[in-house]
Amino acid sequence: SAVISQKPSRDICQRGTSLTIQCQVDSQVTMMFWYRQQPGQSLTLIATANQGSEATYESGFVIDKFPISRPNLTFSTLTVSNMSPEDSSIYLCSVMLQTFSGNTIYFGEGSWLTVV
Amino acid sequence: GQSLEQPSEVTAVEGAIVQINCTYQTSGFYGLSWYQQHDGGAPTFLSYNALDGLEETGRFSSFLSRSDSYGYLLLQELQMKDSASYFCAFTIIGAGNTPLVFGKGTRLSVIA
């Protein structure tokens, strides 16, 4: 597995502001993913971030709202822009690793954002 | 379309065995994963099945039948700490940006 660290772990944010979440992995990984989990809901993929290329966003998510950086193979950031209460969620960084049984995705501890 | 179905809630007694079923619908299916999430925590990887059959990891086992588009997670010797949400998720071949599509989760409550 990998050690995936996210910062901040929790934050309370004012409506209209932006917050950048950092994700650090203890090994080099090609594919990193950002997920969102709204309260009581399942996980939804926001975007895939590969080093050296622009992030690819899923339907319903746009770069202006969720800009992503991937400057190297161990680090990525996700910014939640112009936040509203609907953005209150857990934001999860994840990586795909090759394991004995195939490709496996591991998650960071999550960043719990509350927008007031 | 792509979808996964799993029960929303399951309750079981400590020490018992519980099975959480997951049926899926997709094309280009690659593998089925299971994740555990405790309240206030992030999802943690439990198991992955790419081939038909049973994978065992300690008290947890996972089964896949590709022909039936069906899998399950089996938890044995249930402990109170197993109370959590369990998500099945599949990986799709060639979908590029969608490595995991998650079900809505099954909330397991273990009672004494």
Side-chain angles (χ1 to χ4, degrees), chain A residues 53-76:
Chain A
S53 63
E54 298 239 342
T56 307
Y57 290 82
E58 296 300 302
S59 175
F61 298 96
V62 296
I63 187 171
D64 289 346
K65 175 67 176 177
F66 297 102
I68 287 171
S69 78
R70 183 79 202 275
N72 57 53
L73 291 173
T74 64
F75 187 78
S76 179

Short mmCIF file of all heavy atoms in Angstrom, two decimals, chain A residues 53-76:
data_model
loop_
_atom_site.label_atom_id
_atom_site.label_comp_id
_atom_site.label_asym_id
_atom_site.label_seq_id
_atom_site.Cartn_x
_atom_site.Cartn_y
_atom_site.Cartn_z
N SER A 53 0.18 16.24 -17.46
CA SER A 53 -0.96 16.52 -18.33
C SER A 53 -2.06 17.20 -17.52
O SER A 53 -2.05 17.16 -16.30
CB SER A 53 -1.48 15.25 -19.00
OG SER A 53 -1.94 14.34 -18.03
N GLU A 54 -2.99 17.79 -18.24
CA GLU A 54 -4.12 18.43 -17.56
C GLU A 54 -5.00 17.36 -16.93
O GLU A 54 -5.13 16.26 -17.46
CB GLU A 54 -4.93 19.22 -18.58
CG GLU A 54 -4.15 20.33 -19.24
CD GLU A 54 -4.79 21.68 -18.99
OE1 GLU A 54 -5.97 21.72 -18.63
OE2 GLU A 54 -4.10 22.68 -19.18
N ALA A 55 -5.61 17.73 -15.83
CA ALA A 55 -6.55 16.80 -15.18
C ALA A 55 -7.75 16.57 -16.08
O ALA A 55 -8.14 17.45 -16.86
CB ALA A 55 -6.99 17.38 -13.84
N THR A 56 -8.30 15.39 -15.96
CA THR A 56 -9.49 15.04 -16.73
C THR A 56 -10.68 14.95 -15.78
O THR A 56 -10.64 14.17 -14.83
CB THR A 56 -9.29 13.70 -17.45
OG1 THR A 56 -8.09 13.74 -18.20
CG2 THR A 56 -10.47 13.41 -18.36
N TYR A 57 -11.71 15.72 -16.07
CA TYR A 57 -12.83 15.86 -15.16
C TYR A 57 -14.01 14.99 -15.57
O TYR A 57 -14.27 14.80 -16.76
CB TYR A 57 -13.27 17.34 -15.11
CG TYR A 57 -12.26 18.21 -14.41
CD1 TYR A 57 -11.14 18.69 -15.09
CD2 TYR A 57 -12.40 18.53 -13.06
CE1 TYR A 57 -10.18 19.45 -14.45
CE2 TYR A 57 -11.45 19.31 -12.42
CZ TYR A 57 -10.35 19.76 -13.12
OH TYR A 57 -9.40 20.52 -12.47
N GLU A 58 -14.70 14.51 -14.56
CA GLU A 58 -15.92 13.74 -14.80
C GLU A 58 -17.08 14.68 -15.07
O GLU A 58 -17.03 15.88 -14.77
CB GLU A 58 -16.22 12.87 -13.58
CG GLU A 58 -15.17 11.82 -13.30
CD GLU A 58 -14.98 10.86 -14.45
OE1 GLU A 58 -15.97 10.20 -14.84
OE2 GLU A 58 -13.85 10.78 -14.97
N SER A 59 -18.11 14.08 -15.60
CA SER A 59 -19.32 14.85 -15.89
C SER A 59 -19.84 15.50 -14.61
O SER A 59 -19.94 14.85 -13.57
CB SER A 59 -20.38 13.91 -16.48
OG SER A 59 -21.59 14.60 -16.66
N GLY A 60 -20.14 16.77 -14.70
CA GLY A 60 -20.65 17.49 -13.55
C GLY A 60 -19.59 18.25 -12.77
O GLY A 60 -19.93 19.00 -11.85
N PHE A 61 -18.35 18.07 -13.14
CA PHE A 61 -17.24 18.76 -12.47
C PHE A 61 -16.44 19.53 -13.52
O PHE A 61 -16.14 18.99 -14.58
CB PHE A 61 -16.34 17.78 -11.73
CG PHE A 61 -17.05 17.02 -10.64
CD1 PHE A 61 -17.55 15.76 -10.89
CD2 PHE A 61 -17.19 17.57 -9.38
CE1 PHE A 61 -18.22 15.05 -9.89
CE2 PHE A 61 -17.84 16.88 -8.38
CZ PHE A 61 -18.36 15.62 -8.63
N VAL A 62 -16.10 20.77 -13.20
CA VAL A 62 -15.38 21.61 -14.16
C VAL A 62 -14.14 22.20 -13.54
O VAL A 62 -14.05 22.39 -12.32
CB VAL A 62 -16.29 22.74 -14.71
CG1 VAL A 62 -17.44 22.15 -15.50
CG2 VAL A 62 -16.80 23.62 -13.59
N ILE A 63 -13.19 22.51 -14.40
CA ILE A 63 -11.89 22.99 -13.94
C ILE A 63 -12.00 24.31 -13.20
O ILE A 63 -11.25 24.56 -12.25
CB ILE A 63 -10.91 23.08 -15.13
CG1 ILE A 63 -9.51 23.40 -14.65
CG2 ILE A 63 -11.39 24.10 -16.15
CD1 ILE A 63 -8.44 23.29 -15.73
N ASP A 64 -12.89 25.17 -13.60
CA ASP A 64 -13.02 26.47 -12.94
C ASP A 64 -13.43 26.31 -11.48
O ASP A 64 -13.05 27.12 -10.64
CB ASP A 64 -14.03 27.35 -13.67
CG ASP A 64 -13.52 27.81 -15.02
OD1 ASP A 64 -12.30 27.67 -15.26
OD2 ASP A 64 -14.32 28.30 -15.83
N LYS A 65 -14.21 25.31 -11.20
CA LYS A 65 -14.69 25.09 -9.85
C LYS A 65 -13.70 24.25 -9.03
O LYS A 65 -13.53 24.48 -7.85
CB LYS A 65 -16.05 24.36 -9.92
CG LYS A 65 -16.64 23.95 -8.57
CD LYS A 65 -17.05 25.16 -7.75
CE LYS A 65 -17.73 24.71 -6.46
NZ LYS A 65 -18.08 25.87 -5.61
N PHE A 66 -13.05 23.30 -9.69
CA PHE A 66 -12.15 22.38 -9.01
C PHE A 66 -10.79 22.31 -9.72
O PHE A 66 -10.41 21.25 -10.24
CB PHE A 66 -12.76 20.98 -8.94
CG PHE A 66 -14.03 20.89 -8.16
CD1 PHE A 66 -15.26 20.83 -8.82
CD2 PHE A 66 -14.03 20.86 -6.77
CE1 PHE A 66 -16.45 20.74 -8.10
CE2 PHE A 66 -15.20 20.77 -6.05
CZ PHE A 66 -16.42 20.71 -6.72
N PRO A 67 -10.05 23.39 -9.74
CA PRO A 67 -8.73 23.31 -10.39
C PRO A 67 -7.81 22.35 -9.66
O PRO A 67 -7.82 22.28 -8.43
CB PRO A 67 -8.21 24.76 -10.33
CG PRO A 67 -9.04 25.44 -9.31
CD PRO A 67 -10.36 24.73 -9.25
N ILE A 68 -7.04 21.62 -10.44
CA ILE A 68 -6.16 20.58 -9.90
C ILE A 68 -4.76 20.81 -10.42
O ILE A 68 -4.56 21.15 -11.59
CB ILE A 68 -6.66 19.19 -10.33
CG1 ILE A 68 -7.92 18.80 -9.55
CG2 ILE A 68 -5.58 18.12 -10.14
CD1 ILE A 68 -8.60 17.55 -10.07
N SER A 69 -3.79 20.60 -9.56
CA SER A 69 -2.40 20.61 -10.01
C SER A 69 -1.77 19.25 -9.74
O SER A 69 -2.18 18.53 -8.81
CB SER A 69 -1.59 21.70 -9.29
OG SER A 69 -1.25 21.28 -7.98
N ARG A 70 -0.80 18.90 -10.57
CA ARG A 70 -0.07 17.64 -10.38
C ARG A 70 1.37 17.90 -10.83
O ARG A 70 1.81 17.46 -11.89
CB ARG A 70 -0.72 16.53 -11.23
CG ARG A 70 -0.08 15.19 -11.06
CD ARG A 70 -0.51 14.49 -9.81
NE ARG A 70 0.45 13.49 -9.39
CZ ARG A 70 0.50 12.24 -9.83
NH1 ARG A 70 -0.37 11.82 -10.73
NH2 ARG A 70 1.40 11.42 -9.38
N PRO A 71 2.12 18.59 -9.99
CA PRO A 71 3.46 19.03 -10.40
C PRO A 71 4.49 17.91 -10.48
O PRO A 71 5.47 18.05 -11.20
CB PRO A 71 3.84 20.04 -9.32
CG PRO A 71 3.04 19.62 -8.12
CD PRO A 71 1.76 19.09 -8.66
N ASN A 72 4.28 16.83 -9.74
CA ASN A 72 5.23 15.71 -9.79
C ASN A 72 4.50 14.41 -9.45
O ASN A 72 3.28 14.40 -9.27
CB ASN A 72 6.41 15.98 -8.84
CG ASN A 72 5.94 16.20 -7.41
OD1 ASN A 72 5.22 15.40 -6.85
ND2 ASN A 72 6.37 17.32 -6.82
N LEU A 73 5.26 13.34 -9.35
CA LEU A 73 4.65 12.02 -9.20
C LEU A 73 4.25 11.69 -7.77
O LEU A 73 3.74 10.60 -7.50
CB LEU A 73 5.61 10.94 -9.72
CG LEU A 73 5.82 10.94 -11.23
CD1 LEU A 73 6.93 9.95 -11.61
CD2 LEU A 73 4.54 10.59 -11.96
N THR A 74 4.48 12.61 -6.83
CA THR A 74 4.13 12.32 -5.44
C THR A 74 3.17 13.35 -4.84
O THR A 74 2.84 13.27 -3.66
CB THR A 74 5.39 12.27 -4.55
OG1 THR A 74 6.01 13.57 -4.55
CG2 THR A 74 6.38 11.23 -5.04
N PHE A 75 2.72 14.29 -5.62
CA PHE A 75 1.97 15.41 -5.03
C PHE A 75 0.87 15.88 -5.97
O PHE A 75 1.05 15.91 -7.20
CB PHE A 75 2.94 16.55 -4.72
CG PHE A 75 2.33 17.69 -3.96
CD1 PHE A 75 2.11 17.60 -2.60
CD2 PHE A 75 2.01 18.88 -4.62
CE1 PHE A 75 1.55 18.67 -1.90
CE2 PHE A 75 1.46 19.95 -3.92
CZ PHE A 75 1.24 19.85 -2.57
N SER A 76 -0.23 16.30 -5.36
CA SER A 76 -1.31 16.91 -6.13
C SER A 76 -2.09 17.84 -5.22
O SER A 76 -2.07 17.70 -3.98
CB SER A 76 -2.26 15.84 -6.69
OG SER A 76 -3.33 16.43 -7.41
#
